[in-house]
């Protein structure tokens, strides 16, 4: 049977998927969204309460220009009336003073009287709309009508004053000419017939024509229709307040608040350096996300997920192992380096252990190498059984290798329960970590994956904290990054990809996890504070996780006499 291996390449960016991804990321900022909706609801309540006792009355006035023939179609009122100037006149203090006299408003309330008036002009019309806002419906209608009447009166007075002034001007021109006409007529009547009489009569005719013209102008002005306009719809007391009401105000406030919350969340998302989705992690590493570990509710979680009450974690590890097995880049050499970006390697250690168990479950010979020589903990935390002579070690290699303390030839067997067993090369503190990791014995150790049906999983310190992982990249090729997307920056993931690529390796993918329960509660700092609290007793000394014998004759776990299933062991702090 031929096994088909397909590379687990990063998915191509699709714009609809990116939009959906961004929308899901916005929904992560629930506090900002909730704050926006809360502010909007408060604004809606204020709007509803502030406008609950506000009444608006409206009156419309159609303006007319003075004319002697109102039915003349050639007359253009918009040419004779400047609607903008008339609106300013309606809002002027003189109009308000006229209305105040009619309403009997005191001087101290004059500013409030003017403040409640609003005059608008509907487009393409000669209409002025007087809108008055008041706390009483009757008062709003009364003041709107008073303002309308005051404006029409002021406009009527202005038009009459203009006509009287023009009439007086014509009269002032006519009176001297009329007096001269009387004198000329009297003189012409006293002259005998002849040239002088004819000249006087001619002057009389000219003067009479001027007087007739001026009288005609005066008569035309007197015949003008000076009506300033008419009220087309007087103001009436409104039956309901002008505000939208409490329900509508709350709906509007919630909509506006949600929009503000989404805007704030989008701004926060733009300036957030942490990847907020699997797509961000995949784009930064240019590798797929192979799995996302479910949230741990046990306060530390099992190191080996097989056999636990919640099977989701074990199935997720199996899924990651299955995806790796069908990646041709890993299937060619079967060497996997598991690292974290920075900080704690606790979750990375759990991933390495469980992947080793998952590969062992498929029938492969698995070797787990703890290459963390700075804080090695697996040997002290895991119940193990000492194995025989390591396959990778030649006779006398441990004695001849005096240039490095690790690897020293010690090999342990880990019982993974129903998944089977796998070998563990525990890490030990070394005098020279770079030399130990690049020693020929370490190279032969990792080359165990070249044997048929063998797989090597290497656990290294955080790649951005130490250069130890980079020293192993060219030996394993495939790197699995274990990270909490909310605790790492996109720039860190990009830098990891560049460092691994520069060292000759390949990022096969990433495994995401949520923050550890102890980290949420404050991590080591919280436990130290609790231990140092007044009245608290001394912290109990850490007990080894090996099973103690009930009697001297019973074998001790870890000395080769028995094997304890790893699935029951909890992780320690790293």
């Amino acid at each position: 049977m031929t096994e088909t291996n397909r590379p687990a390449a990063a998915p191509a960016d699709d714009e609809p998927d990116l939009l959906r991804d961004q929308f899901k990321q916005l929904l992560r900022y629930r506090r900002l969204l909730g704050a926006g909706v809360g502010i909007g609801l408060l604004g809606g309540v204020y709007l509803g309460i502030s406008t609950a006792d506000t009444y608006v009355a409206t009156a419309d006035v159609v303006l007319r220009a003075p004319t002697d023939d109102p039915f003349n179609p050639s007359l253009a009122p918009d040419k004779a009336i400047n609607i903008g100037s008339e609106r300013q006149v309606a809002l002027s203090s003189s109009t308000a003073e006229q209305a105040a006299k009619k309403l009997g408003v005191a001087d101290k309330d004059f500013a409030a009287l003017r403040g409640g008036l609003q005059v608008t002009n509907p487009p393409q019309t000669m209409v002025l709309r007087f809108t008055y806002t008041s706390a009483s419906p009757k008062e709003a209608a009364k003041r709107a009508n008073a303002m309308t009447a005051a404006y029409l009166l002021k406009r009527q007075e202005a038009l009459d004053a203009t006509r009287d002034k023009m009439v007086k001007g014509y009269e002032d021109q006519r009176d001297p000419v009329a007096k001269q006409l009387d004198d000329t007529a009297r003189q012409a009547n006293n002259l005998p017939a002849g040239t002088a009489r004819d000249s006087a009569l001619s002057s009389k005719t000219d003067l009479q024509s001027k007087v007739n013209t001026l009288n005609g102008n005066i008569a035309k002005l007197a015949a003008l229709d000076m009506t300033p306009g008419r009220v087309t719809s007087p103001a009436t007391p409104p039956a309901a307040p002008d505000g939208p009401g409490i329900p509508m105000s709350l709906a509007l406030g919630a909509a506006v608040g949600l929009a503000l919350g989404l805007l704030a969340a989008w701004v926060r998302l733009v300036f957030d350096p942490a990847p907020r989705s699997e797509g961000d992690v995949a784009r930064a590493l240019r590798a797929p996300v192979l799995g996302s570990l479910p949230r741990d509710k046990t306060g530390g979680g099992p190191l080996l997920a097989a056999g636990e009450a919640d099977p989701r974690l074990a199935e997720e590890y199996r899924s990651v192992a299955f995806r790796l097995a069908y990646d041709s880049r890993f299937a060619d050499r079967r060497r996997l380096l598991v690292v974290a970006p920075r900080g704690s390697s606790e979750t990375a250690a759990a991933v390495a252990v469980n992947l080793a168990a998952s590969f062992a479950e498929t029938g492969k010979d698995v070797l787990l190498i703890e290459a963390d020589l700075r804080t090695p903990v697996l040997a002290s935390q895991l119940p193990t059984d000492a194995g025989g002579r390591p396959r990778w070690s030649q006779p006398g290699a441990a004695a001849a290798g005096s240039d490095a303390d690790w690897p020293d030839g010690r090999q342990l067997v880990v019982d993974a329960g129903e998944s089977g067993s796998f070998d563990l090369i525990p890490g030990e503190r070394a005098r020279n970590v770079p030399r130990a990791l690049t020693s020929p014995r370490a190279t032969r150790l990792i080359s165990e994956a070249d044997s048929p049906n063998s797989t090597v999983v290497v656990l290294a310190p955080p790649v951005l904290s130490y250069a130890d992982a980079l020293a192993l990249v060219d030996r394993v090729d495939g790197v699995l990054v274990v990270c909490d997307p909310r605790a790492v920056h996109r720039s860190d993931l990009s830098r990891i990809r560049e460092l691994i690529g520069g060292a000759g390796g390949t990022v096969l993918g990433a495994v995401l996890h949520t923050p550890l329960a102890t980290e949420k509660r404050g991590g080591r700092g919280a436990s130290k504070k609790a231990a140092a609290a007044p009245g608290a007793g001394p912290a109990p000394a850490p007990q080894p996780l090996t099973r103690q014998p009930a009697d001297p004759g019973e074998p001790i776990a870890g000395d080769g006499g028995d094997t304890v299933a790893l699935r029951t062991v909890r992780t320690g702090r790293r």
Side-chain angles (χ1 to χ4, degrees), residues 152-466:
L152 291 177
L153 180 60
K154 297 297 294 184
R155 177 171 167 78
Q156 181 71 57
E157 292 176 355
L159 293 177
D160 290 343
T162 301
R163 182 180 63 178
D164 294 343
K165 184 176 182 179
M166 294 184 65
V167 169
K168 188 177 183 302
Y170 284 134
E171 289 177 347
D172 291 343
Q173 296 180 39
R174 183 196 61 182
D175 290 344
V177 176
K179 183 178 180 182
Q180 185 180 0
L181 175 61
D182 292 342
D183 294 340
T184 302
R186 189 181 306 107
Q187 182 181 1
N189 292 334
N190 295 331
L191 290 175
T195 305
R197 182 182 174 86
D198 293 340
S199 177
L201 291 174
S202 177
S203 297
K204 176 185 176 182
T205 303
D206 294 339
L207 293 174
Q208 186 65 48
S209 176
K210 292 181 180 181
V211 170
N212 293 338
T213 301
L214 293 173
N215 286 333
N217 292 337
I218 294 174
K220 186 176 181 180
L221 288 175
L224 287 177
D225 183 5
M226 304 299 292
T227 304
R230 71 179 188 276
V231 179
T232 58
S233 59
T236 57
D242 180 64
I246 294 295
M248 183 60 69
S249 299
L250 290 177
L252 292 176
V256 174
L258 181 60
L260 292 177
L262 288 174
L263 177 61
W266 179 79
V267 174
R268 177 70 177 85
L269 178 63
V270 169
F271 293 98
D272 189 1
R276 287 292 182 172
S277 68
E278 296 183 1
D280 283 351
V281 176
R283 284 186 288 273
L285 290 175
R286 296 183 184 176
V289 174
L290 299 179
S292 181
L293 303 182
R295 185 178 298 273
D296 180 21
K297 301 180 181 179
T298 61
L303 185 62
L304 191 63
E308 288 296 318
D310 187 2
R312 296 178 302 164
L313 189 60
E315 291 302 326
E316 188 66 28
Y317 283 125
R318 292 189 181 97
S319 176
V320 173
F322 178 81
R323 294 171 186 174
L324 286 173
Y326 276 81
D327 189 337
S328 60
R329 295 169 295 181
F330 173 75
D332 290 341
R333 303 188 64 176
R334 301 182 304 283
R335 300 172 183 176
L336 180 65
L337 178 66
V338 181
V339 294
R342 60 172 78 248
S344 173
S345 295
E346 180 177 351
T347 307
V351 171
V353 170
N354 282 277
L355 287 181
S358 299
F359 288 132
E361 190 175 11
T362 62
K364 296 183 180 297
D365 295 330
V366 182
L367 177 64
L368 174 61
I369 303 173
E370 186 182 16
D372 188 350
L373 307 184
R374 302 180 187 273
T375 57
V377 295
L378 292 184
S380 61
Q381 292 183 358
L382 301 182
T384 56
D385 180 19
R389 182 176 60 85
R391 298 188 303 269
W392 55 271
S393 174
Q394 298 294 333
S402 60
D403 58 334
D405 298 331
W406 182 89
D408 56 1
R410 187 162 63 106
Q411 178 174 329
L412 305 177
V413 178
V414 177
D415 181 9
E418 297 178 356
S419 299
S421 62
F422 57 90
D423 297 334
L424 170 65
I425 303 297
E428 292 185 359
R429 294 184 180 273
R431 294 189 300 269
N432 192 324
V433 174
R435 179 177 298 178
L437 294 176
T438 56
S439 64
R441 286 188 297 162
T443 302
R444 290 195 301 271
L445 179 66
I446 298 175
S447 65
E448 278 291 305
D450 294 337
S451 302
N453 201 35
S454 298
T455 300
V456 173
V457 180
V458 183
L459 173 64
V463 65
L464 295 181
S465 300
Y466 306 99

Side-chain angles (χ1 to χ4, degrees), residues 83-144:
I83 195 67
S85 299
E86 294 299 329
R87 179 177 174 274
Q88 295 301 320
V89 172
L91 293 170
S92 64
S93 59
S94 60
T95 302
E97 289 174 358
Q98 184 68 30
K101 292 179 182 179
K102 182 177 180 180
L103 295 171
V105 177
D107 294 340
K108 62 179 181 179
D109 299 328
F110 180 75
L113 176 65
R114 290 191 63 188
L117 178 65
Q118 183 180 7
V119 181
T120 58
N121 168 236
Q124 306 298 324
T125 64
M126 298 300 296
V127 175
L128 287 181
R129 179 163 295 165
F130 288 75
T131 303
Y132 200 89
T133 304
S134 178
S136 171
K138 294 183 179 179
E139 190 69 17
K142 182 180 178 181
R143 293 194 174 190

Side-chain angles (χ1 to χ4, degrees), residues 39-55 241-254:
I39 293 174
L41 290 177
L42 291 177
V45 171
Y46 173 77
L47 177 63
I49 295 177
S50 62
T51 58
D53 56 350
T54 301
Y55 296 87
D242 180 64
I246 294 295
M248 183 60 69
S249 299
L250 290 177
L252 292 176

